[in-house]
Amino acid sequence: MTQDSKQRIPVNESEPNSRQLTFEIFRFNPLDPGSEPHFDTFTLEETAGMTLFIALNLIREEQDPSLQFDFVCRAGICGSCAMLINGRPDLACRTLTQALPSTIRLAPLPVFELIGDLSVNTGKWMHGMSERLQTWVHTETEPDLDAMEAAMEPALAEQIYELERCIECGCCVAGCGTAVMREAFVGAVGLNKMARFRLDPRDERDDGAFYELIGHDDGIFGCMSLMGCQDVCPKALPLQTQLAFLRRKMAFAGI
Amino acid sequence: MSSIPSNSRWPARLDLLQSASGLALALFMWVHMFLVSSILISNDAMYAVAKLFEGYYVFGRSYPWLVSAAAAAILVLIMLHAALALRKFPQSTRQYQLFLGHKNRMHHPDTTLWWWQVVTGFLLFFLAPMHLFGMFSQPDQIGPYASSYRVYSTHWPLYLILLFAVELHGAIGLYRLAIKWLSFPTMPVPVMRKRLSLLKWGMSAFFIILGLCTLLAYYRLGSTLQDQPGERYHPVTQSQCPTNSEVLS
Ligand code: SF4
Ligand code: SF4
Ligand code: FES
């Protein structure tokens, strides 16, 4: 359950005739007044097991050192490399070129503030969302740091962990028609966090308190069930299940 | 939970009302389709259905205003649903551009279907009242001959567009309701989605085909009546059942 269930095409090392790949990459530097948004084209020979991480680094090293994009972990853990790959949000480090047609169009995630080219400031958005939704454990009592922590049922811990796997990559936000249209919408990432804290017995907030945070049209009632989030989440989180669950709980709390 | 102030409760209530009014309308449309398609069984069957809704089998005589009342109630329900759904429509040129750009980039079926719901919903704002006003103002003009004559002589284009708009909007809406409210803990989400989606297309296809057959049946019957407008149907098997004109006179 806790494994990423998205299937990636296995690497075929002995591929004899390699493809010529054409990359169309969005370019714009908001800090440069002379810069106009446009797409640049680069070509590259495909190698076995090539990911977009490898391809973008090759382009930057060999063709255009000014190309901006983000990578940290190269392993689908940090969430910083999300971009639109042929129109769909996904992690560049976990996308094999083999799984794509020979023309690959890369653009930055919409909704988030553009830093330059493919690099966006998801951190700022996530921080704002976390503050709005107060995504941390709320307790009335001062926790005793020396005391033994209360044990949690393994099944419950497992359930919380399943939702905790979110890497805040922003794919679900960029893949959501509601979030793209309505700036203030908290997105599946925010709602998933609410579902996670609602499960957590250490969080003492009741449904009334959660309702205050997400019981409105920029929260759970803004979600139009377009399922873009569910279909693009690179960690394959069960977002539909969480959204439907929250909607029922919040509708019940609110009527 | 009593801590929630009453004015913040409205989003929950409106969301529930939007879903509930949509559910009621979608189910009504399916029942309506089955009733209207009774013409495929026989003229008498359709006549009996029309009489049923005029209360004939309950009161022993026909009250066409019952049909008017039902049409008015459905219109009110549509207005409620439309007002609630309007909140979800894109609200400015910019939002339209953003959504359409997103839809065209993503090639994502459920996102595209939402756009179709917006388009068919918009059409229904105008087309549904046209049909309903006819039912409201001339409730006695429902019957194998009267309806066929209407379909053949003037109304078939309206009904043809309505058929597609309603059966797409309704089935997509029911599919979305299921996704919105239900979780199936034992079934992986993609499997559940695939099954629901198949069901949704199946329902649309079934009702569109049934609707086309029905419309054709009325049209063909109407074409035989073209020189007898106002001709009333007299049931073959239920000669004891009075026609509307008899009741009204
Ligand atoms: S829910 Fe999925 S898509 Fe959204 S931020 Fe978390 S990992 Fe990324
Ligand atoms: S279900 Fe749709 S509207 Fe709701 S968060 Fe996911 S993508 Fe957005
Ligand atoms: S580089 Fe960390 S997720 Fe891709």
Side-chain angles (χ1 to χ4, degrees):
Chain A
M1 269 298 265
T2 55
Q3 292 288 308
D4 298 348
S5 61
K6 263 195 182 173
Q7 289 292 314
R8 300 285 160 162
I9 292 172
V11 182
N12 182 359
E13 300 280 357
S14 59
E15 177 100 343
N17 36 5
S18 59
R19 293 189 298 173
Q20 198 67 18
L21 298 176
T22 306
F23 287 88
E24 299 169 355
I25 300 181
F26 179 86
R27 305 301 302 273
F28 179 54
N29 181 359
L31 296 179
D32 173 3
S35 168
E36 287 281 340
H38 66 283
F39 281 85
D40 274 348
T41 305
F42 302 95
T43 49
L44 209 60
E45 193 168 322
E46 184 170 41
T47 54
M50 180 182 253
T51 62
L52 288 180
F53 164 74
I54 297 171
L56 282 168
N57 276 294
L58 275 175
I59 292 173
R60 180 153 69 185
E61 274 162 31
E62 295 169 2
Q63 303 186 36
D64 188 342
S66 72
L67 183 63
Q68 298 183 64
F69 53 84
D70 294 321
F71 285 93
V72 179
C73 71
R74 315 175 270 79
I77 297 165
C78 73
S80 60
C81 67
M83 57 183 70
L84 292 186
I85 303 165
N86 288 339
R88 282 217 185 197
D90 206 344
L91 298 180
C93 72
R94 290 213 339 188
T95 303
L96 290 165
T97 54
Q98 233 178 320
L100 298 169
S102 60
T103 300
I104 301 167
R105 199 171 171 86
L106 301 178
L109 293 186
V111 184
F112 302 100
E113 179 186 300
L114 183 71
I115 296 173
D117 301 341
L118 300 176
S119 167
V120 291
N121 197 343
T122 44
K124 185 174 165 187
W125 191 97
M126 294 293 167
H127 190 88
M129 177 274 293
S130 292
E131 284 195 332
R132 266 169 74 203
L133 297 186
Q134 306 181 13
T135 56
W136 55 88
V137 168
H138 286 55
T139 49
E140 294 290 325
T141 48
E142 191 68 27
D144 178 359
L145 296 181
D146 298 324
M148 191 76 149
E149 249 191 294
M152 194 186 280
E153 279 302 315
L156 178 60
E158 190 68 36
Q159 246 183 313
I160 295 177
Y161 180 70
E162 171 74 355
L163 307 186
E164 186 83 328
R165 291 189 303 113
C166 168
I167 55 174
E168 301 193 359
C169 61
C171 285
C172 59
V173 176
C176 168
T178 309
V180 166
M181 267 196 291
R182 309 196 161 96
E183 225 179 303
F185 182 57
V186 298
V189 55
L191 295 168
N192 176 64
K193 282 185 193 295
M194 288 284 92
R196 177 246 174 273
F197 285 104
R198 200 182 163 283
L199 277 180
D200 198 322
R202 293 164 297 188
D203 197 318
E204 288 163 9
R205 288 179 284 188
D206 64 3
D207 275 350
F210 286 117
Y211 187 92
E212 295 279 335
L213 297 166
I214 54 167
H216 48 74
D217 285 356
D218 289 325
I220 187 66
F221 303 123
C223 163
M224 303 193 294
S225 307
L226 305 177
M227 289 292 115
C229 56
Q230 168 78 44
D231 292 337
V232 299
C233 174
K235 305 307 276 187
L237 292 188
L239 295 173
Q240 184 272 338
T241 319
Q242 301 312 314
L243 293 167
F245 175 75
L246 271 186
R247 198 176 208 111
R248 292 199 300 271
K249 293 296 169 197
M250 293 298 106
F252 183 71
I255 47 175
Chain B
M1 266 171 244
S2 54
S3 63
I4 305 172
S6 104
N7 61 350
S8 355
R9 290 173 181 269
W10 279 106
R13 293 172 182 159
L14 296 181
D15 194 61
L16 271 171
L17 263 183
Q18 186 182 349
S19 289
S21 57
L23 178 66
L25 284 168
L27 295 179
F28 168 78
M29 285 320 302
W30 281 357
V31 173
H32 173 277
M33 190 71 240
F34 279 125
L35 296 173
V36 170
S37 65
S38 54
I39 193 80
L40 295 174
I41 302 174
S42 69
N43 290 355
D44 277 3
M46 195 272 168
Y47 183 80
V49 166
K51 288 284 126 192
L52 174 71
F53 281 84
E54 290 176 354
Y56 180 77
Y57 301 110
V58 180
F59 307 113
R61 52 175 295 191
S62 297
Y63 295 102
W65 63 265
L66 286 172
V67 175
S68 296
I74 294 296
L75 187 61
V76 169
L77 199 55
I78 290 181
M79 283 159 77
L80 174 74
H81 185 67
L84 293 166
L86 258 183
R87 301 174 307 146
K88 308 285 167 163
F89 272 56
Q91 306 290 332
S92 61
T93 314
R94 177 152 174 77
Q95 287 194 353
Y96 272 99
Q97 287 170 334
L98 286 169
F99 184 81
L100 286 174
H102 171 74
K103 168 182 91 68
N104 296 339
R105 272 196 308 269
M106 284 269 290
H107 299 290
H108 175 251
D110 282 17
T111 303
T112 308
L113 281 180
W114 185 78
W115 176 247
W116 280 105
Q117 244 185 327
V118 169
V119 171
T120 50
F122 187 79
L123 278 176
L124 289 169
F125 286 157
F126 305 97
L127 302 183
M130 286 189 205
H131 168 56
L132 280 166
F133 186 72
M135 298 299 103
F136 176 79
S137 59
Q138 298 182 306
D140 55 328
Q141 295 297 313
I142 302 171
Y145 285 176
S147 298
S148 296
Y149 187 76
R150 179 171 53 243
V151 167
Y152 175 77
S153 59
T154 50
H155 275 53
W156 67 265
L158 173 67
Y159 290 151
L160 195 60
I161 306 175
L162 263 178
L163 172 67
F164 280 89
V166 164
E167 298 310 343
L168 290 174
H169 193 89
I172 301 173
L174 287 178
Y175 166 77
R176 207 174 294 290
L177 278 186
I179 301 259
K180 204 173 249 192
W181 293 99
L182 307 179
S183 1
F184 304 83
T186 52
M187 199 190 287
V189 179
V191 177
M192 178 272 280
R193 294 257 310 286
K194 187 159 239 136
R195 291 192 188 168
L196 283 177
S197 168
L198 269 177
L199 194 64
K200 168 179 70 61
W201 285 115
M203 284 303 183
S204 285
F206 172 75
F207 282 102
I208 287 175
I209 291 169
L210 183 62
L212 286 174
C213 294
T214 303
L215 201 53
L216 191 67
Y218 283 109
Y219 188 89
R220 281 168 64 178
L221 183 55
S223 69
T224 65
L225 299 169
Q226 51 182 315
D227 29 290
Q228 314 144 41
E231 166 85 2
R232 303 308 308 223
Y233 180 72
H234 296 278
V236 184
T237 52
Q238 290 171 298
S239 48
Q240 79 282 14
C241 198
T243 63
N244 287 319
S245 22
E246 281 161 12
V247 169
L248 291 172
S249 57

